[in-house]
Amino acid sequence: MSDQSQPIVKPQPIVEVEDLWVWLRKRGREIPLVRGLSYTLRPAEALSIVGESGAGKSIGVRAALGLLDPRLFRVTGSSKLVGTDVLALTAKERARYVPSVAALVFQDPGRSLNPTMRVGDQIAEAFLKGSGYEPGMTRAKAEARALQLMKDVRIAAAEERFKAYPNQLSGGMKQRVVIAIAVACKPQVLFCDEPTSSLDVTTQAAIMDLIGELRDQTGIATVTITHDLALAASRARKVIVMYGGQVVEALPARLVATESAMPYTTALIEAVPDIDGNGTPPTPIEGMPPDPANLPSGCSFHPRCRFAQDDCLTNTPELRVVAPAHELRCFHPVKDLELQEASR
Amino acid sequence: MLRLILERLVQMVIVVFVVTLAAFTLVNLLSGDIAVYLLGDHATPEAVAALHAQLHLDDPIIIRYFDWLGDVLQGNLGTSVVSHYPVVKSLTNAIPPTFELMIGAQIVGITLAVVTTAAAIKWRWTDRLVTGVALLVNSIPTFVVALILIIIFSTTLHLLPSIGWVAPTSAGGWGKNIVAMIMPSVALGLGIFPEYMRILRSDIREQLDREEYVTLAWMKGLRPTRIFGKHVAPNSVGGFISMIATTTALLISGVVIVEQVFAIPGIGKMMLAAIDSHDTPVLLGGLLTIVTFVVIINLVGELIYMRIDPRVRATRVTA
Amino acid sequence: MKRRTRLTYSLAALATTALVITGCSSGSPSPTPSGTNVVLPAGVTQNITIGGFSLNTLDPGAATGFNGPGEAIVQNVFGELVDPPATPGGDYVPDLATAWKYNADFTQLTLTLRPNVTFTDGTPFDAAAVKFNYDRYTTTTSRVSQYVGVIASTVVVDPTTVQINFTTPDTNFLDVLALTVGGSIQSPTAIQKGADKYGLNIVGAGPFMQSAYTPGTQLDLVPNPNYWDAKSTHLQKVTYLNTGVDPSVNYQQVASGAIQVYQVNGVNSSPSVLTDAKGNSGISVVTTDDNQYLFLPLNITTAPFNNPAARQALDYCMDRPTLAKAVTQNFGNPAWIDGGSSTLYYPGGGYSSYPSKFPYPFDTSKGTALVSQLGGLSFDLYNMGGQYTVVANALAQMWKANCGINATVQTDTPPALATRITSGSYSAVLTISGGLDDPSFFRTFQTNTPQGKYTGGVGHPEITGPISEATQTNDPAKLASLWEEVWKQVNTQGFTIPVLSGPIYYLQNTCLQGSQYFGSGATYRYAYLSC
Ligand SMILES: Nc1ncnc2c1ncn2[C@@H]1O[C@H](COP(=O)(O)OP(=O)(O)OP(=O)(O)O)[C@@H](O)[C@H]1O
Ligand SMILES: [Mg+2]
């Protein structure tokens, strides 16, 4: 993979996920939920992972952070965060290491905060008892920092809210608190799992803006999971499209509207109103996402694919580079990119 | 909060009313002619008639119920039909042992539940072990558990007394009192611990597996003990407490059995004796106490739950 | 004085009180110890606890009073006017009465009272007190009245002499005085003061006095320091405790030393508990005379048992020895009359030879023939108080298997069953009675209670005649021939069906000595712990 637009001397990657597989252990069987996920991320880069529900986006992120319970899941491959493969660490080491380099923001802010603890305490806790601890830390210092963070993430009347319980805050405000907690320990990468899907449209934008600002100001890298390809395309540098636990297309965000070639990606574009700005009404994708316990033969997408041919049923497509920074898993792309490449 | 208490108090009055009315009706319908029974087979018809008049047995049940209720509202629970012992006095004798037994059982039940849950969360094999043990214990009737305890600790090892109540005011004081309450409390506590453990275990499991604030806490780099103590346990306590409150009602049947086996002069035993001798005022007095107690415990449980869990507080207060 | 005279008080055992064993027994299994020359072991606290207690009032004379096992309990407080003979066939023993004398036709008994005795409230125990008690017992309709109903009047002759006049001759009254609550003399002052709460705080002139009482739960007795024979009383505290009705629990309580005594009934107790107790070296099992009996009073006024063939079928189809073995593992015995194997004047030359003379011995072909002649036999078998479920089920099964008789076992609350019996809406009730070897005590078939009208010998002079004659003699030979006739008639008619009999078994700590046993209870005047 090479991207001509990057400078020759690249900074060290912060995230290097390599051939990540996740199996669910279920009644003696192992069901593949994520199949060979790979991506790399450098400081201040923004990656979006897009796909329908059940595509394995969340599981993939949690696996990369070493969060999955080994009694329920088997994880293979590697996930290097700032140079260290967290999957090779012991549980104890991981619990110390991961929080110091990475942070996670969840989809439902209503469930991400401890309902029995005041929000200020939940932030301050990161300084007092967590990875944000520094020698000489006191409760007063921790609380001052927490308050400052609340102001940084633009929580109005932060002093008042500091003492509130989560249920006394709105969804957007809760998500700001979660973000405050996430950035408290100065992580180098922020994973956001659908950070805005439970929020209203204006709040969505505000939260996404906030994440963008954090990235610009601190140089933090972000991985954002979303269903919304339009959002992904507008807020990220790179977009990964997942289907049935696999990456089916990866491309620079600015090319999503014009260059995406996997029928699934184009179907996603058509399913979203107005990404191409031509006013065509959205067309939902027919059929259901595949059941990981019972994957279709050949290309996982073929039962729903308008362009499927016989070989899609029998042969399994590999991810191949079709253009600079553009990868594809398809025998019959919507656009013949290699031809374009060749003709260029 | 105040509104909730008022609401519950109204509910409580209704529950107490319905339960005592039902009991009153049942006791009077099912037991035949109490006068004939009380007086024995040599009673003359005049004596039977006199007792009928004295106990108002010829009045319609509903009128008798309201007579009784009227007396109760004036603080008069009546006297035993057989001994003429004031029901209030019987109750003041019987409440402390029963109360102590229930507290003891809750201590045993909660301790066992917490310890076994901790074990169940920690390792897989201990999980299997304690859930198996809980299932086993759950399938043994309280009566048999009590008997086994007596056989082991009294008859064989001579470690603990099998007669379960020593008034703390008596010569032995609290020391003897507590020693005597160990086995009854364990017998009763063993009966409730499997349910406590089942709920607690699945609640904590649920939180550990699904609740994102637990993941967030982990992502903050907190130690496991801190995660458990600050983020998991407090969120289980509320539900657990309200479950303890509900269990109190279920505990009553076990109380009757345990009091019988260990000869504890509590409410259960008092009511059993009242049933035996068809002593309606004593029976109703006991029932009134139990129903009131259960309703109050449930209210207290709910209030504690509210104090602990701000979510509930918010919804209940605005409701 | 002859050991046994007659008592003509009916006991409607089939009615409500039947589940409480009535009456008392003849002598004790071991000779009554003289309490005076006991050497108490050093360092042993002389306190005992007796399990199984459940008295809800202590005054047997109250309208809601009691008889049965409670009698022995309150006798510890009230003492006895006369004591039963120390050995079977011996003389009655002076106690609170020092002498007694019948007139020639047994219609009057004169008692000489022990002088200078006081109740524990300090009031005098004298002739006036005795009169007060008998006037009370005969005018109230308590359960005591069944023992004293024969009294016409009580006359104070002088402070230590009292005369009891009977309505008909009665040769049994000393048994009443010695063995029943009919001999309980209570403080008139305390009765009057206590009014309807007297039963919570009883006062007598016996060896012990009440120190604490919670109805139905616990009774504590301490020695009466002014008892006339106080030097013979050794226990410092006697506690009666409600330990519930489960035999296996109570056995463990005795085995662990929590209680010292528990009594079970041979006809419906758990045989496994008795077997365990016998094998336990720390427990002695004291066996009384076999005089508890389980029987089946039939309602002979309505179908099906107004037909003698139906009554006979029950006998023909019932294998009593097999039942005794199956249900009681031979801790109980087959019953052939309404009495136990220790019953005096046992017909047919004694218990062991009578079964061959039983009119309707076990014979399934005869029984089956009778049932088919009746066109089938079905009835509800009421199980008194739900206490005899095992026996009732075994009986029903036996009748069904042997002759196709359909007996449906039913349980009713005692008051409901009392109502049912009073109104005659029943067919058969399985119930218990007994406690005394003298059959005169249990003449249910001759009863004059309202409940008795549906059973037995009421209106059958061939039965009531010899019983009435038996009340006027104390000649053993004559009594034997009269009772031979009574049992012959009763069994031939089949008004009541005898089922099982058995003794009472006392499971007690081997250290406990000197208890005095009655058919349905024990007293502890002379008892002590030897270790
Ligand atoms: N804890 C779990 N136990 C069992 N199966 C799980 C678990 N978590 C996820 N899965 C399964 O793994 C697959 C991928 O789930 P994942 O949560 O990664 O989907 P997603 O792409 O994040 O979807 P969404 O957009 O709905 O969040 C799904 O089929 C899901 O059912
Ligand atoms: Mg997800």
Side-chain angles (χ1 to χ4, degrees):
Chain A
M1 202 186 343
S2 75
D3 187 335
Q4 308 289 274
S5 62
Q6 292 294 319
I8 308 297
V9 181
K10 295 175 182 171
Q12 279 302 305
I14 287 175
V15 182
E16 294 163 275
V17 173
E18 193 64 40
D19 198 23
L20 188 71
W21 286 71
V22 180
W23 284 273
L24 173 69
R25 301 179 207 267
K26 200 171 179 184
R27 289 190 214 101
R29 276 183 65 200
E30 290 197 334
I31 299 162
L33 301 180
V34 174
R35 301 183 282 162
L37 177 64
S38 303
Y39 54 86
T40 305
L41 212 62
R42 291 169 211 281
E45 268 190 344
L47 170 73
S48 271
I49 302 178
V50 191
E52 278 174 297
S53 195
K57 307 182 295 289
S58 301
I59 291 284
V61 161
R62 279 161 201 256
L65 288 170
L67 284 173
L68 295 181
D69 183 347
R71 288 178 293 189
L72 292 174
F73 300 94
R74 185 160 76 86
V75 181
T76 63
S78 71
S79 167
K80 285 192 190 148
L81 299 181
V82 197
T84 304
D85 181 3
V86 301
L87 300 181
L89 299 177
T90 65
K92 244 189 184 157
E93 292 166 342
R94 197 184 303 145
R96 298 199 123 215
Y97 182 73
V98 173
S100 68
V101 294
L104 180 59
V105 171
F106 307 88
Q107 169 174 357
D108 182 359
R111 288 178 53 211
S112 345
L113 291 172
N114 179 350
T116 56
M117 209 168 162
R118 295 175 196 276
V119 293
D121 293 340
Q122 295 195 48
I123 305 171
E125 195 184 23
F127 301 116
L128 268 175
K129 305 276 177 186
S131 305
Y133 182 81
E134 288 164 11
M137 184 61 68
T138 62
R139 170 159 287 278
K141 274 191 205 169
E143 285 183 356
R145 281 204 196 176
L147 189 62
Q148 186 54 47
L149 264 180
M150 284 175 78
K151 290 176 180 162
D152 292 349
V153 296
R154 293 209 206 86
I155 293 173
E159 286 84 355
E160 236 172 80
R161 301 270 149 77
F162 192 88
K163 292 221 174 311
Y165 283 98
N167 67 291
Q168 294 164 327
L169 303 184
S170 70
M173 227 165 333
K174 273 185 260 194
Q175 199 63 304
R176 289 175 195 273
V177 173
V178 176
I179 292 168
I181 292 172
V183 299
C185 308
K186 300 211 165 57
Q188 303 187 45
V189 55
L190 180 64
F191 290 86
C192 301
D193 189 349
E194 303 187 37
T196 59
S197 48
S198 67
L199 304 175
D200 64 80
V201 185
T202 32
T203 320
Q204 274 183 13
I207 293 288
M208 291 309 288
D209 289 346
L210 177 65
I211 294 172
E213 276 169 41
L214 284 170
R215 185 171 51 238
D216 295 345
Q217 288 165 10
T218 63
I220 194 171
T222 62
V223 176
T224 308
I225 291 175
T226 175
H227 288 256
D228 185 341
L229 190 53
L231 191 75
S234 63
R235 302 273 179 174
R237 178 191 290 272
K238 258 196 271 185
V239 172
I240 287 179
V241 181
M242 284 184 76
Y243 187 82
Q246 287 177 320
V247 177
V248 292
E249 186 162 14
L251 74 171
R254 64 191 154 81
L255 301 181
V256 165
T258 53
E259 301 290 288
S260 47
M262 167 71 193
Y264 178 63
T265 314
T266 53
L268 276 179
I269 292 169
E270 283 161 30
V272 178
D274 246 1
I275 191 172
D276 45 6
N278 62 8
T280 46
T283 335
I285 310 175
E286 272 176 42
M288 294 288 289
D291 172 8
N294 202 3
L295 290 168
S297 62
C299 172
S300 300
F301 186 62
H302 85 253
R304 303 167 75 188
C305 184
R306 275 181 293 160
F307 304 88
Q309 296 178 21
D310 288 353
D311 56 344
C312 300
L313 273 72
T314 49
N315 299 346
T316 310
E318 292 295 322
L319 197 63
R320 59 200 165 99
V321 180
V322 292
H326 191 171
E327 289 168 291
L328 197 61
R329 192 189 294 275
C330 184
F331 293 127
H332 309 285
V334 182
K335 302 182 183 85
D336 200 344
L337 293 162
E338 278 150 308
L339 225 73
Q340 288 177 10
E341 177 80 356
S343 68
R344 213 175 267 178
Chain B
M1 181 87 94
L2 201 68
R3 193 178 145 178
L4 174 91
I5 295 176
L6 280 178
E7 225 172 76
R8 287 295 181 277
L9 284 178
V10 171
Q11 276 178 12
M12 178 167 133
V13 169
I14 295 170
V15 167
V16 169
F17 180 81
V18 169
V19 170
T20 51
L21 178 61
F24 197 91
T25 313
L26 270 178
V27 166
N28 284 293
L29 282 186
L30 290 185
S31 49
D33 191 337
I34 300 176
V36 171
Y37 170 74
L38 289 176
L39 295 177
D41 35 294
H42 291 263
T44 57
E46 297 82 58
V48 173
L51 191 58
H52 263 244
Q54 190 197 323
L55 300 177
H56 303 283
L57 291 181
D58 296 323
D59 292 349
I61 284 176
I62 192 78
I63 298 211
R64 280 154 63 199
Y65 174 75
F66 281 106
D67 282 348
W68 175 81
L69 195 64
D71 286 348
V72 168
L73 292 179
Q74 292 167 33
N76 176 13
L77 288 174
T79 59
S80 155
V81 171
V82 181
S83 67
H84 300 281
Y85 198 63
V87 175
V88 170
K89 257 183 149 172
S90 292
L91 285 170
T92 43
N93 289 335
I95 287 173
T98 302
F99 194 69
E100 197 182 339
L101 175 62
M102 290 178 102
I103 302 253
Q106 294 287 13
I107 291 173
V108 171
I110 294 168
T111 310
L112 279 176
V114 168
V115 170
T116 51
T117 302
I121 299 292
K122 187 96 192 182
W123 298 287
R124 232 179 188 193
W125 68 270
T126 45
D127 187 14
R128 296 231 174 95
L129 183 73
V130 297
T131 42
V133 167
L135 200 69
L136 184 75
V137 169
N138 215 10
S139 64
I140 310 176
T142 305
F143 174 80
V144 177
V145 172
L147 198 57
I148 291 172
L149 288 174
I150 292 183
I151 291 173
I152 296 175
F153 294 103
S154 298
T155 312
T156 311
L157 299 175
H158 295 285
L159 278 178
L160 292 169
S162 52
I163 299 285
W165 172 256
V166 183
T169 49
S170 72
W174 280 104
K176 272 210 160 141
N177 166 281
I178 287 167
V179 168
M181 283 313 273
I182 292 176
M183 270 204 296
S185 303
V186 170
L188 195 55
L190 276 175
I192 48 174
F193 118 81
E195 182 65 6
Y196 283 5
M197 181 202 135
R198 196 181 62 76
I199 304 267
L200 199 57
R201 174 176 163 277
S202 71
D203 188 79
I204 288 176
R205 266 279 159 80
E206 182 86 359
Q207 285 193 57
L208 290 177
D209 289 353
R210 304 215 193 290
E211 290 300 345
E212 287 172 346
Y213 52 79
V214 178
T215 313
L216 187 67
W218 189 88
M219 289 297 297
K220 279 184 217 171
L222 303 180
R223 289 173 188 283
T225 46
R226 169 97 188 168
I227 297 178
F228 197 84
K230 273 276 174 183
H231 296 269
V232 177
N235 287 293
S236 289
V237 169
F240 193 56
I241 282 178
S242 64
M243 188 188 52
I244 290 171
T246 0
T247 318
T248 306
L250 301 175
L251 214 54
I252 302 288
S253 62
V255 165
V256 173
I257 292 164
V258 169
E259 286 185 355
Q260 190 76 353
V261 173
F262 292 97
I264 297 171
I267 300 244
K269 204 159 180 66
M270 182 192 92
M271 296 208 10
L272 213 61
I275 291 170
D276 257 5
S277 55
H278 301 271
D279 204 334
T280 319
V282 178
L283 189 59
L284 288 170
L287 206 69
L288 184 71
T289 310
I290 289 176
V291 173
T292 313
F293 178 69
V294 166
V295 176
I296 288 177
I297 283 285
N298 276 295
L299 178 62
V300 169
E302 206 170 351
L303 292 177
I304 294 177
Y305 189 14
M306 274 174 53
R307 269 230 67 78
I308 291 178
D309 198 326
R311 285 171 298 186
V312 191
R313 189 160 52 209
T315 52
R316 300 280 163 91
V317 171
T318 49
Chain C
M1 197 77 226
K2 287 298 296 181
R3 181 188 164 248
R4 285 224 167 258
T5 48
R6 317 299 315 286
L7 175 69
T8 50
Y9 300 100
S10 60
L11 172 82
L14 66 151
T16 55
T17 56
L19 74 158
V20 182
I21 304 139
T22 309
C24 309
S25 88
S26 62
S28 44
S30 53
T32 303
S34 139
T36 43
N37 42 21
V38 165
V39 181
L40 295 177
V44 174
T45 313
Q46 294 290 330
N47 293 354
I48 64 164
T49 302
I50 299 124
F53 166 88
S54 69
L55 283 184
N56 286 306
T57 173
L58 298 177
D59 174 17
T64 55
F66 56 88
N67 54 3
E71 294 176 327
I73 295 172
V74 292
Q75 272 189 16
N76 287 303
V77 174
F78 300 134
E80 297 155 42
L81 284 164
V82 300
D83 293 351
T87 51
D91 284 344
Y92 287 90
V93 180
D95 195 325
L96 287 167
T98 52
W100 46 87
K101 192 175 169 8
Y102 268 110
N103 68 353
D105 63 355
F106 300 109
T107 55
Q108 186 185 74
L109 179 66
T110 305
L111 299 175
T112 306
L113 304 177
R114 190 172 292 276
N116 306 320
V117 173
T118 54
F119 292 107
T120 50
D121 62 358
T123 58
F125 170 91
D126 58 10
V130 173
K131 177 177 165 51
F132 177 92
N133 276 276
Y134 284 113
D135 287 352
R136 177 172 183 249
Y137 290 154
T138 47
T139 49
T140 61
T141 56
S142 73
R143 286 176 170 81
V144 184
S145 65
Q146 64 187 301
Y147 304 123
V148 298
V150 73
I151 295 176
S153 65
T154 310
V155 179
V156 175
V157 177
D158 64 54
T160 58
T161 311
V162 64
Q163 227 173 51
I164 302 173
N165 300 306
F166 304 134
T167 51
T168 59
D170 188 327
T171 52
N172 257 128
F173 205 72
L174 285 176
D175 272 345
V176 170
L177 299 184
L179 301 166
T180 78
V181 277
S184 297
I185 304 302
Q186 318 186 41
S187 160
T189 314
I191 290 174
Q192 282 161 335
K193 261 206 226 155
D196 71 350
K197 292 196 170 44
Y198 168 70
L200 297 171
N201 213 331
I202 51 171
V203 177
F208 294 96
M209 55 191 197
Q210 177 184 337
S211 72
Y213 173 51
T214 314
T217 301
Q218 187 169 342
L219 169 66
D220 291 344
L221 303 179
V222 293
N224 168 8
N226 299 321
Y227 182 53
W228 71 267
D229 196 16
K231 64 182 187 310
S232 305
T233 303
H234 308 299
L235 293 175
Q236 289 310 301
K237 191 170 177 189
V238 177
T239 298
Y240 287 92
L241 188 66
N242 187 342
T243 50
V245 294
D246 189 273
S248 35
V249 170
N250 278 286
Y251 164 67
Q252 292 300 336
Q253 302 286 23
V254 178
S256 72
I259 62 176
Q260 280 68 46
V261 189
Y262 181 68
Q263 67 184 70
V264 296
N265 195 313
V267 296
N268 69 324
S269 64
S270 159
S272 61
V273 163
L274 282 168
T275 311
D276 288 352
K278 288 205 157 174
N280 186 327
S281 60
I283 296 179
S284 45
V285 178
V286 178
T287 310
T288 64
D289 290 349
D290 180 319
N291 55 32
Q292 310 282 319
Y293 60 95
L294 201 57
F295 67 113
L296 201 63
L298 303 175
N299 182 350
I300 55 162
T301 63
T302 55
F305 295 118
N306 55 357
N307 185 339
R311 312 199 291 258
Q312 289 161 22
L314 294 187
D315 270 334
Y316 278 131
C317 302
M318 193 163 138
D319 181 0
R320 291 176 169 84
T322 303
L323 187 72
K325 188 162 185 350
V327 175
T328 73
Q329 285 173 20
N330 292 338
F331 284 104
N333 290 310
W336 306 102
I337 61 168
D338 291 340
S341 62
S342 311
T343 300
L344 290 169
Y345 328 122
Y346 210 98
Y351 179 75
S352 52
S353 55
Y354 181 72
S356 60
K357 296 177 187 148
F358 189 70
Y360 315 112
F362 179 54
D363 186 334
T364 52
S365 54
K366 277 190 191 158
T368 313
L370 281 178
V371 172
S372 66
Q373 175 200 318
L374 288 163
L377 176 56
S378 298
F379 63 98
D380 284 340
L381 174 59
Y382 279 93
N383 164 23
M384 177 68 85
Q387 293 186 83
Y388 313 111
T389 319
V390 178
V391 184
N393 288 337
L395 267 178
Q397 217 176 338
M398 192 172 254
W399 281 323
K400 178 89 191 162
N402 290 338
C403 306
I405 297 171
N406 291 313
T408 310
V409 178
Q410 304 274 17
T411 298
D412 230 342
T413 64
L417 194 53
T419 311
R420 186 178 289 285
I421 290 168
T422 314
S423 63
S425 57
Y426 73 100
S427 296
V429 178
L430 187 62
T431 188
I432 199 170
S433 188
L436 189 62
D437 295 342
D438 193 326
S440 305
F441 244 98
F442 309 110
R443 298 164 13 196
T444 56
F445 29 80
Q446 201 214 355
T447 178
N448 54 3
T449 63
Q451 294 84 351
K453 65 190 173 219
Y454 297 104
T455 50
V458 177
H460 287 261
E462 69 274 24
I463 294 172
T464 55
I467 290 175
S468 177
E469 250 184 90
T471 61
Q472 299 172 38
T473 178
N474 52 18
D475 171 3
K478 206 167 168 207
L479 285 166
S481 76
L482 287 166
W483 279 104
E484 178 91 33
E485 181 61 16
V486 172
W487 295 125
K488 186 180 147 201
Q489 292 298 335
V490 169
N491 277 340
T492 307
Q493 298 281 4
F495 294 154
T496 64
I497 307 288
V499 180
L500 293 173
S501 76
I504 283 182
Y505 295 95
Y506 291 85
L507 315 188
Q508 61 180 45
N509 194 298
T510 42
C511 295
L512 180 62
Q513 306 287 332
S515 311
Q516 288 174 291
Y517 302 94
F518 298 85
S520 44
T523 57
Y524 298 94
R525 167 163 54 153
Y526 298 139
Y528 61 98
L529 292 167
S530 65
C531 49

